[in-house]
Amino acid sequence: QVQLVESGGGLVQAGGSLRLSCAASGRSFSSYGMGWFRQAPGKEREFVAAISRTGGATYYADSVKGRFTISRDNPKNTVYLQMNNLKPDDTAVYYCAAANRIITLQQHEYMYWGQGTQVTVSS
């Protein structure tokens, strides 16, 4: 089993940057594909980014491509989401998740979820 704890959220002005971290506890972190999702008020949770077990492959939602970067440090059991040029539409609770897959974009394939961290972007 894997426990995930996100951190790094906060309030930032449009155009600013934040770096989210997700620390994993448990065994075999490197055996999980990792992802970031977000849920804005009144909206369904949506895919943001995913990274493969080794970090060699990444996928991004079109809305964040070119602005967000997902990465992982397996010895530190941590996955990151660097968010640049933030927009008010990026305001949401951000969740990291772990899947027993090499890499996946599908929410239902993620077995473990963090509690989320709030990101608020002011205009």
Side-chain angles (χ1 to χ4, degrees):
Q1 193 165 356
V2 176
Q3 294 181 328
L4 304 171
V5 179
E6 302 96 335
S7 61
L11 174 64
V12 64
Q13 289 187 333
S17 298
L18 283 174
R19 188 195 196 200
L20 305 184
S21 299
C22 174
S25 62
R27 300 174 63 182
S28 304
F29 173 73
S30 60
S31 68
Y32 294 96
M34 299 297 296
W36 285 96
F37 295 80
R38 67 186 182 186
Q39 187 167 20
K43 296 186 177 181
E44 294 186 352
R45 189 164 57 189
E46 64 177 4
F47 168 77
V48 174
I51 189 166
S52 63
R53 292 168 175 170
T54 63
T58 56
Y59 290 123
Y60 297 93
D62 287 343
S63 59
V64 307
K65 202 171 294 183
R67 300 187 298 122
F68 290 11
T69 302
I70 188 171
S71 61
R72 67 190 295 164
D73 186 336
N74 283 347
K76 293 184 177 180
N77 283 9
T78 303
V79 62
Y80 304 97
L81 186 68
Q82 177 67 43
M83 305 185 295
N84 297 330
N85 190 21
L86 282 160
K87 304 175 180 180
D89 284 349
D90 295 318
T91 295
V93 176
Y94 283 72
Y95 299 90
C96 73
N100 191 19
R101 296 287 187 272
I102 295 175
I103 186 169
T104 180
L105 282 65
Q106 303 300 320
Q107 285 196 48
H108 68 271
E109 293 187 331
Y110 283 86
M111 300 181 299
Y112 304 107
W113 293 81
Q115 83 289 348
T117 186
Q118 176 71 47
V119 171
T120 303
V121 184
S122 63
S123 56

